Amino acid sequence: MIKINNKNLNKLIYISTMKEIVGIKTNYKKKLTDLLFINDQKDSLVKNTLNFINNKNFSNVLLWGEKGMGKSSLVHAVIDDLISKGYKNINFLEVLSHDIKYLPEIIYKLSSIKKKFIVFIDDVIFKPFSNDFNILKSVLEGSLLSSNKNITYYFTTNMRNISLSSNQTDLDDLETKDIQNSIFSLSERFGICLGFYRCSKDEYLQIINNYSKSFQIKEDISSDALSWSILKGGYSGRIAFQFFIDYFNRR
């Protein structure tokens, strides 16, 4: 049986080797103001989280799209922002993606506790019809475990439908359609789907400028930031933040 040892902390993580949910202290470095060009996503996630906390209608949320553009950062920043504003009746539980098979037991344990839990799983991807794929479909919608008002799910993935396409080539059109419908049925179980897209060079430089203000850097570092982006192979919020870590390490 899963044990809970939260030490009165709002942030938790499930450790499968211990069969225990433990409290964890974090010092997350990104704030909502650090995350640019995703204002609609911010507003939607904040509103849904407040609805969940305040016993209003809420949805499970899928954040999907381009890597490094703020999916998991937004989830963490929203939680940190609300906790800092005094919303203490919220608990954030991270479950690692390879531990999805334990979700039914975890949800059963949480359902008997009179607290609110956001279950967060980062970077999810499935093979079609795998055990984890089927477990998640059932837990999200259809199972007796999916009707809990004190639990919601925030997942991130790089793929719109969370699942890889089937590589079977010996199927007729009807069988292919049935497989695709089953794959789509997982993402459709999320009431809110938030897309994240690759940023342009100009947007990347605006992110750099925003971080410069936050870190109180007065000199123009755009040339160095562009060189860094070439080294890393693209433009994204993650690459911008990694540049500043490297920049400070070199000072």
Side-chain angles (χ1 to χ4, degrees), residues 120-146:
F120 174 63
I121 303 183
D122 188 36
D123 201 18
V124 181
I125 189 168
F126 299 108
K127 294 181 179 179
F129 315 115
S130 65
N131 287 336
D132 285 354
F133 179 92
N134 292 323
I135 287 171
L136 185 54
K137 279 179 63 178
S138 180
V139 167
L140 286 173
E141 186 177 302
S143 168
L144 292 174
L145 293 172
S146 60

Side-chain angles (χ1 to χ4, degrees), residues 10 54 130 184 191:
N10 292 101
N54 294 320
S130 65
F184 295 154

Side-chain angles (χ1 to χ4, degrees), residues 5-184:
N5 179 16
N6 70 350
K7 298 180 181 178
N8 297 316
L9 298 175
N10 292 101
K11 293 188 177 181
L12 312 163
I13 188 167
Y14 174 67
I15 307 296
S16 58
T17 54
M18 299 166 55
K19 297 283 284 184
E20 190 169 357
I21 295 171
V22 299
I24 185 169
K25 290 184 178 181
T26 62
N27 183 23
Y28 204 69
K29 297 179 180 179
K30 296 179 185 177
K31 301 177 181 179
L32 281 175
T33 53
D34 292 327
L35 306 175
L36 303 185
F37 308 113
I38 53 170
N39 288 337
D40 290 344
Q41 296 91 325
K42 284 184 193 179
D43 293 343
S44 181
L45 195 64
V46 169
K47 181 178 179 181
N48 189 69
T49 307
L50 286 172
N51 284 347
F52 175 62
I53 294 171
N54 294 320
N55 299 313
K56 298 180 179 180
N57 292 330
F58 64 90
S59 297
N60 299 319
V61 182
L62 176 66
L63 302 91
W64 68 275
E66 187 69 25
K67 63 183 184 296
M69 285 307 299
K71 299 183 295 294
S72 58
S73 294
L74 177 57
V75 174
H76 287 290
V78 167
I79 298 301
D80 281 352
D81 184 67
L82 293 178
I83 290 176
S84 71
K85 290 178 178 176
Y87 291 95
K88 303 299 183 183
N89 59 331
I90 182 172
N91 292 275
F92 181 78
L93 170 61
E94 181 172 2
V95 178
L96 300 180
S97 59
H98 60 259
D99 288 332
I100 285 176
K101 61 185 176 182
Y102 299 110
L103 267 182
E105 188 176 354
I106 292 170
I107 300 310
Y108 175 75
K109 184 71 174 181
L110 299 183
S111 65
S112 62
I113 301 174
K114 293 181 179 180
K115 292 184 178 181
K116 297 278 188 176
F117 292 92
I118 292 176
V119 176
F120 174 63
I121 303 183
D122 188 36
D123 201 18
V124 181
I125 189 168
F126 299 108
K127 294 181 179 179
F129 315 115
S130 65
N131 287 336
D132 285 354
F133 179 92
N134 292 323
I135 287 171
L136 185 54
K137 279 179 63 178
S138 180
V139 167
L140 286 173
E141 186 177 302
S143 168
L144 292 174
L145 293 172
S146 60
S147 60
N148 296 293
K149 298 300 183 182
N150 69 320
I151 300 169
T152 192
Y153 304 90
Y154 288 2
F155 287 10
T156 74
T157 180
N158 290 338
M159 303 187 69
R160 175 64 177 84
N161 293 304
I162 321 180
S163 177
L164 298 169
S165 299
S166 173
N167 58 5
Q168 291 180 264
T169 59
D170 57 343
L171 304 175
D172 60 32
D173 289 345
L174 183 58
E175 289 171 325
T176 300
K177 184 177 180 180
D178 287 342
I179 288 176
Q180 292 301 319
N181 284 340
S182 182
I183 290 173
F184 295 154

Side-chain angles (χ1 to χ4, degrees), residues 183-204:
I183 290 173
F184 295 154
S185 70
L186 177 54
S187 60
E188 289 173 352
R189 280 169 161 78
F190 291 87
I192 297 176
C193 292
L194 304 176
F196 292 71
Y197 307 96
R198 182 178 302 177
C199 68
S200 66
K201 175 182 175 181
D202 287 342
E203 289 171 334
Y204 171 75

